[in-house]
Each structure stands twice: as C-alpha cells, then as structure tokens.
Amino acid sequence: MLFRSFFDEQLAHMSYLVGCQRTGEAIVIDPGRNVDWYIDTAKKEGLQIVAATETHIHADFVSGAKELAKRCGAKLYLSDEGDANWKYQYLDEVDYELVKEGSMFTVGNVEFKVLHTPGHTPEHISFILTDKGGGSTEPMGIFTGDFVFVGDIGRPDLLEKAAGVAGTADVGARQMFQSLKKFKALPDYLQVWPAHGAGSACGKALGAVPVSTVGYEKLNNWALKIEDEEEFVKLLLTGQPEPPKYFAMMKKVNKIGPAYLNEEEVLSLQTREQLDEYKANGAFILDVRPSQEFAKAHYAGAINIPFNKSFTNWAGWLINYDQDIVLIANQEDVQAIRKALAYIGLDRVVAYIEPSVALSGEVESYEEIDVHQLQQYLNDDRYHLVDVRNQAEWDEGYIEGAQHIMLGTLADRLNELPEDKTYIVQCRSGARSAIGASILQAKGFKQVLNLKGGYLAWTREKLPVVKQS
C-alpha cells in the first residue's frame, strides 16, 4: 500500500492519497479543489486515481471530488447519512456509490469500512482502513475528517453560526458525545488521520502534529476525558471562534456540486485608467502585497490581504461571491493567488495589474504608531480605538476605551463607528489590524492609524487592560 498526505497551509487542510501498488489503483480522501497534486503524485507512483471520497459536506473549502470524477473518471463514495438536507445534489453527473454505517468498499486490496460519526455535521462519516494487500486482517487507521483532530474534536456549532440553522449546535454536541463512544471503542493502536490541523476554524484547539493514534487521543484529548454529557456539551460549545462568513456558501457549493475549474487566462491591465473602470463597476480591488508596503503607498479603494498563510481565510471573510476581483499583484504570483481563491470558490478573478502600474498615479497611505503614542491618543477625543480581534481574545482582556468590531465583520458595521475621528486599528500583533486599516480607508474613513505590535506590545509594556469579571 502507498500512503501520501497533503497539507494546504492556508486552510490547514489535510487530504490523503491511498494506493494499492499491486493493482495500480488509488483513492483520494477529502480532496481539495486543487487536484493537480493528487494526479501528479499518482502518476509519479505509477497509480491511477479510480476513486475519491469525503467524510462530509465540507464548509471551509471547495471539494475536489467532483473535479476528480471529471478528470480521472473517479468513482465517488459519498455519505448517505443525515436527513434530506444533507444529500448530494450532483449525483447525476458522476459515477457514485452512497455509503453509510457498516458499508464497506475496496480500492485494489485496500478495504474501507464506514463509521457514522455525526456531531460536526449530521452526515459525517469516518473510514477505517485495512491493508489486506499487505496481508493484514486488522485495521491500520481511521480517516476522521472533522470528527476527531489531534488534541481536539470538530465543532458542532457551524450550522447554527454560519448557516443560520437554529438549534443545531446543542443537538450536534450531543451527537458528538455519542460518536466519541464509538471512537473510544476502537483499538488504541489505530492511527488517526484528520482533515485539519492547527490553524483551521473547524475546531478551537487543534494540534499542529499531523497524525495521532486512538490511544494517544484517549489519554490527551480533552474531549475524550469527559464522561458527563452536560459538562461535555457546555465545554464544547464554549469559546468556539467566529466561523468565517464564507462557510455558509461552501456548504451550499459542495452540496449542489462545485463548478469545474476555470482555466481561462486572467486579463493583464496595462493602465490605471483600466483599473479605475473596474473599480467604478464595483469590482473588489485586492492588493496582496505585504502590509508594510501597502501602508507606505496604495491605490485608493484597494483592500489589503497579504498573500500569506492567513490569506484564504480573510479573503473568504471579506470578498463577496457576486463580485469580480481585480488583483494588484506581480504576474508571477497571479496563478498561485487565483488557486488559493478558487479553493474556497472565489472564481471571479477577472484581471490583475502590476503594483508599479497601480501606484503610478495618486496614492494613499497610513501610518503606524507604537503603544506609548496610543497611550497619549486615548486621552484625546479626536482619536478612536477599534479592536478587530475575535470574541475570545476580547473576553480575555482589552484596552480601555476600545470599540470591539471583529475584523471579518468590520466592513458590514461601519455605521457603528463614530464620525469624524482618526481611527486607530488594533489587533493581537498588528497583522489583522493592517487589513482593518485598509478596509477603513477603502470605505472612505481616510484618517487611519495602525497599532504596531498590537495588544501583545501593549501588555508587554505592562500597560493597563480591562478584563471581564
């Protein structure tokens, strides 16, 4: 048997390719939309991808299962658990088999047994792998998807918070409690292969180690130590981070079937006038340069989301799916940026412009201040401090006088800001607040400052904070 794992660092997404070397057949588990790396790896190893499967209808990225069905002729093994709201709606386009608790299927001499593990979502399943081609009759490991992570478990509140399905968080938490009983009954030696690692919004305390074992999780995972259901539900639902806005769209996209990837070339703009025209027509002008460069000089109306590990997450929060997107980026980076956006279904990248051209005319800028300058400005009513951290961070402590507006919601809550101020934007370290500063300027709040070092720098200097009682 051949086993390969793939990690998308921008979404902390784990996916897997498992191949039977005797028959030359392979399957991909929880594929992301960028299917090239699975196809290239299979080809390199002399394998043909004949199947794909996923543990559930994902909310944080566009599934690549349908794309693999088109490009490789892969048969899809998809969950038949959950009620009518959790059934795939693109099955007439693909070769498929619906599976549920107790179902078994093979790829070559590798066997997969299905375990229904609801809680994160009602249709969630896990796959227990046995390498029969290697002569084993005992299972090797379990693909847990968003059920059990290293050090954490999947959150059950996404349907309620992201998709607005009222009352599902408590039900999901109780389903998760029951599902974990199945997990605890598994052999301790089983390897655990989750769909996410640290940095994913699908849990609150995911570990950075990519694999674990059932036995290790029993000893160390907080959720597997709690025996009382009411205590478990309360702890699981407390402190979950805000789900990115795009999660609701991803559920819909993956349920009805994602569009096939657009391979058309992106238009290269040669003048500022062309960029002005796209802006006038409502396009989202996305500047992906590092925040320090953007702060010094940027095109008026552009929003800055630096192309780094957090890029895809914040793009999903801030860009609407009905908007055209124009990139301010170097030509050599355009394809990588486009792939990252496509990973969450933001397919409307229509053009790009080199930074040198975008900045060839009149530009805007904003300054950074340190915590001692902030201390002085807090006593001046011409200044207003905006804290864009998440709720859990705010609850642990904040700077007196700050207004809390989480970054992902800032563009929708501008009417809550007092008028005619100089706005100081603050986060934990200065990275998210830089994005926030760009949002404010793009939306017409021109007098903006960014707090260098953020809340960490403030507390490092032992300056006063307010803590919730």
Side-chain angles (χ1 to χ4, degrees):
M1 186 186 84
L2 178 133
F3 184 100
R4 294 285 185 272
S5 61
F6 303 83
F7 184 67
D8 178 86
E9 65 178 14
Q10 291 181 329
L11 291 172
H13 167 221
M14 297 287 295
S15 53
Y16 305 88
L17 177 115
V18 175
C20 175
Q21 292 164 307
R22 290 190 180 184
T23 65
E25 298 170 296
I27 183 172
V28 184
I29 296 94
D30 283 329
R33 202 177 190 190
N34 177 20
V35 300
D36 287 340
W37 55 3
Y38 313 123
I39 295 172
D40 292 345
T41 300
K43 183 178 180 180
K44 178 181 176 182
E45 299 293 342
L47 299 170
Q48 180 182 358
I49 296 174
V50 299
T53 189
E54 54 191 28
T55 50
H56 63 296
I57 300 173
H58 292 280
D60 55 319
F61 63 89
V62 176
S63 168
K66 184 181 171 190
E67 191 78 20
L68 286 170
K70 175 190 176 186
R71 291 180 55 178
C72 303
K75 180 177 181 178
L76 305 187
Y77 293 91
L78 301 172
S79 175
D80 196 26
E81 297 285 1
D83 60 28
N85 295 314
W86 300 98
K87 303 303 181 185
Y88 292 87
Q89 297 178 3
Y90 63 89
L91 299 180
D92 58 342
E93 301 180 48
V94 298
D95 181 17
Y96 71 94
E97 181 178 328
L98 296 178
V99 296
K100 59 198 323 179
E101 174 82 18
S103 295
M104 299 180 71
F105 61 91
T106 58
V107 175
N109 295 306
V110 183
E111 179 185 87
F112 297 84
K113 181 179 179 181
V114 177
L115 202 64
H116 183 211
T117 50
H120 179 66
T121 58
E123 85 292 359
H124 196 291
I125 53 179
S126 300
F127 303 102
I128 298 174
L129 179 152
T130 303
D131 180 20
K132 292 200 166 181
S136 179
T137 58
E138 298 297 326
M140 175 187 293
I142 178 171
F143 295 98
T144 54
D146 289 20
F147 167 40
V148 175
F149 301 121
V150 178
D152 201 5
I153 58 173
R155 57 191 296 183
D157 61 319
L158 286 179
L159 299 181
E160 191 158 324
K161 289 182 179 177
V165 186
T168 54
D170 185 81
V171 172
R174 295 181 188 281
Q175 289 178 330
M176 181 65 78
F177 186 77
Q178 297 302 320
S179 293
L180 287 175
K181 291 181 179 179
K182 295 182 182 179
F183 183 85
K184 292 176 184 179
L186 296 171
D188 284 356
Y189 62 80
L190 276 193
Q191 295 182 57
V192 174
W193 303 306
H196 292 290
S200 169
C202 291
K204 59 182 175 180
L206 283 71
V209 177
V211 296
S212 185
T213 65
V214 170
Y216 188 85
E217 293 307 307
K218 287 180 188 178
L219 291 172
N220 295 284
N221 191 317
W222 70 269
L224 275 70
K225 297 179 181 181
I226 301 173
E227 299 297 334
D228 180 75
E229 183 172 341
E230 297 306 320
E231 180 188 2
F232 174 85
V233 170
K234 182 180 178 180
L235 285 174
L236 180 56
L237 295 178
T238 300
Q240 292 288 1
E242 296 88 342
K245 192 190 304 183
Y246 77 92
F247 274 24
M249 176 62 75
M250 288 300 90
K251 276 287 183 188
K252 178 181 177 182
V253 165
N254 287 326
K255 178 179 173 180
I256 66 175
Y260 296 116
L261 283 171
N262 180 6
E263 303 293 345
E264 294 180 8
E265 289 292 319
V266 176
L267 178 67
S268 173
L269 305 184
Q270 302 300 311
T271 67
R272 284 242 323 192
E273 288 72 24
Q274 290 175 299
L275 182 58
D276 292 339
E277 187 174 344
Y278 274 102
K279 176 186 170 185
N281 289 328
F284 189 100
I285 311 301
L286 175 57
D287 190 326
V288 302
R289 293 177 299 146
S291 58
Q292 296 88 343
E293 294 180 23
F294 183 89
K296 292 175 183 176
H298 55 264
Y299 176 81
I303 289 177
N304 179 219
I305 309 177
F307 190 52
N308 56 28
K309 288 183 179 181
S310 301
F311 172 78
T312 311
N313 176 66
W314 292 118
W317 268 107
L318 301 174
I319 304 175
N320 294 324
Y321 280 84
D322 58 358
Q323 279 184 292
D324 287 339
I325 303 167
V326 177
L327 305 176
I328 297 178
N330 296 317
Q331 180 183 6
E332 60 267 26
D333 297 327
V334 168
Q335 279 305 103
I337 296 165
R338 190 182 181 193
K339 278 187 175 181
L341 293 172
Y343 217 88
I344 58 169
L346 289 168
D347 294 339
R348 295 180 60 169
V349 178
V350 295
Y352 79 95
I353 187 169
E354 293 277 351
S356 59
V357 180
L359 304 179
S360 60
E362 188 175 340
V363 296
E364 291 184 340
S365 63
Y366 65 81
E367 295 182 4
E368 288 193 320
I369 62 169
D370 62 32
V371 294
H372 298 293
Q373 291 172 291
L374 173 61
Q375 223 180 354
Q376 298 173 14
Y377 292 155
L378 287 175
N379 298 317
D380 188 333
D381 64 7
R382 293 174 298 176
Y383 295 86
H384 184 71
L385 179 62
V386 183
D387 185 332
V388 298
R389 295 176 302 157
N390 64 41
Q391 186 65 47
E393 292 173 301
W394 171 266
D395 290 343
E396 290 176 359
Y398 56 89
I399 300 171
E400 186 172 7
Q403 180 181 7
H404 181 226
I405 305 180
M406 186 264 180
L407 176 61
T409 66
L410 181 60
D412 299 323
R413 298 174 60 188
L414 297 174
N415 63 316
E416 299 177 25
L417 294 173
E419 296 181 356
D420 301 322
K421 303 286 185 180
T422 294
Y423 305 92
I424 304 169
V425 194
Q426 167 251 313
C427 66
R428 180 176 179 270
S429 64
R432 284 171 287 174
S433 56
I435 298 174
S438 78
I439 292 171
L440 291 180
Q441 285 200 323
K443 300 298 183 180
F445 297 79
K446 298 302 182 183
Q447 301 303 314
V448 178
L449 300 169
N450 184 38
L451 179 63
K452 182 167 51 178
Y455 187 76
L456 287 179
W458 181 270
T459 55
R460 198 177 297 121
E461 294 295 316
K462 303 190 184 311
L463 296 169
V465 298
V466 178
K467 296 199 174 184
Q468 302 282 10
S469 57

